[in-house]
Amino acid sequence: GAGVSQSPSNKVTEKGKDVELRCDPISGHTALYWYRQSLGQGLEFLIYFQGNSAPDKSGLPSDRFSAERTGGSVSTLTIQRTQQEDSAVYLCASSLPEWTGAAYEQYFGPGTRLTVT
Amino acid sequence: AQSVTQLGSHVSVSEGALVLLRCNYSSSVPPYLFWYVQYPNQGLQLLLKYTTGATLVKGINGFEAEFKKSETSFHLTKPSAHMSDAAEYFCAVSDRRDYGGSQGNLIFGKGTKLSVKP
């Protein structure tokens, strides 16, 4: 079946503008994760959604970052007032429900490369 | 708290030689450990995983890793490198929310870039 999809694949924006990044997880996957991959920081966790529970936002670097997940499926990561240090590849991953016994396995999308000029 | 250390940001081997990528972890709960591979301009692909049971785990493309609790290590090996193995490899531990659970975000090492010389 289809894997995790992300859009856009590339985004160039001017400093100070807002951006929205989209993630479409694998059908039936109840958990959704956002990560950021940058040269200086490596791969960092940002936020985690599990079903209808409140998301774990402990990895968000500032209040300019937010995310939502509508209908337990598609997720949007929003970065307000973008800064040059936000330039990175933003990766989304999803995983099966806990009861399957395979919830630990995360499937990654191809990422969105964000460049802030 | 969980953390992962990968020794060596770059490793270069000759084609046909042994590949050994090192990973050490710390975890306050029994760890779930993973190796992911990333080819240029692509997302992460799971190579192999350890959750419970047999400590020697086999993955795709001929890779395997051994969980050694006493050494807190999960090194990745492949007996004979192929040119197509050139990529970046990430070791990760799951930040499991509780002892009995299996879900949680991944905490990654800094990655090791593998080069394979002809």
Side-chain angles (χ1 to χ4, degrees):
Chain A
V4 177
S5 60
Q6 293 186 245
S7 61
S9 55
N10 279 283
K11 176 73 176 178
V12 180
T13 190
E14 291 180 356
K15 178 181 171 181
K17 295 284 178 78
D18 298 351
V19 295
E20 287 188 351
L21 312 179
R22 176 187 167 108
C23 172
D24 208 332
I26 295 172
S27 178
H29 282 199
T30 55
L32 186 148
Y33 306 81
W34 283 97
Y35 297 88
R36 177 169 72 173
Q37 185 174 24
S38 58
L39 280 175
Q41 301 299 321
L43 273 156
E44 307 170 275
F45 161 69
L46 297 177
I47 187 169
Y48 159 40
F49 294 89
Q50 170 54 276
N52 295 321
S53 302
D56 178 345
K57 305 179 183 180
S58 60
L60 293 179
S62 79
D63 58 9
R64 297 186 295 105
F65 288 72
S66 63
E68 63 177 22
R69 189 177 184 192
T70 52
S73 182
V74 172
S75 176
T76 302
L77 177 70
T78 301
I79 309 173
Q80 295 179 308
R81 305 180 303 280
T82 52
Q83 303 294 312
Q84 287 187 326
E85 61 262 28
D86 299 334
S87 296
V89 176
Y90 289 82
L91 294 167
C92 176
S94 67
S95 66
L96 286 163
E98 183 82 41
W99 59 262
T100 62
Y104 49 78
E105 188 160 340
Q106 295 184 22
Y107 296 79
F108 282 80
T112 293
R113 182 175 296 278
L114 175 67
T115 304
V116 181
T117 60
Chain B
Q2 281 67 251
S3 67
V4 174
T5 302
Q6 289 183 243
L7 294 175
S9 57
H10 287 86
V11 169
S12 181
V13 301
S14 297
E15 192 172 19
L18 170 72
V19 176
L20 170 61
L21 304 182
R22 299 178 187 274
C23 172
N24 288 88
Y25 71 90
S26 70
S27 179
S28 54
V29 298
Y32 284 8
L33 296 160
F34 306 84
W35 277 98
Y36 282 84
V37 62
Q38 186 176 38
Y39 297 100
N41 299 314
Q42 293 188 26
L44 295 167
Q45 181 182 7
L46 181 66
L47 268 181
L48 48 78
K49 59 187 180 288
Y50 169 80
T51 54
T52 59
T55 56
L56 181 64
V57 292
K58 295 184 185 299
I60 61 172
N61 302 338
F63 283 93
E64 61 183 40
E66 187 170 11
F67 168 59
K68 291 188 176 180
K69 184 178 178 180
S70 61
E71 299 177 8
T72 61
S73 69
F74 190 57
H75 302 331
L76 181 71
T77 60
K78 182 174 180 177
S80 176
H82 191 272
M83 297 295 290
S84 60
D85 295 327
E88 191 158 18
Y89 293 80
F90 293 91
C91 182
V93 63
S94 178
D95 190 4
R96 296 166 62 198
R97 293 298 184 267
D98 58 80
Y99 186 98
S102 64
Q103 280 193 322
N105 56 280
L106 295 172
I107 296 169
F108 289 92
K110 295 292 187 186
T112 298
K113 197 162 288 189
L114 175 67
S115 302
V116 182
K117 299 175 290 188

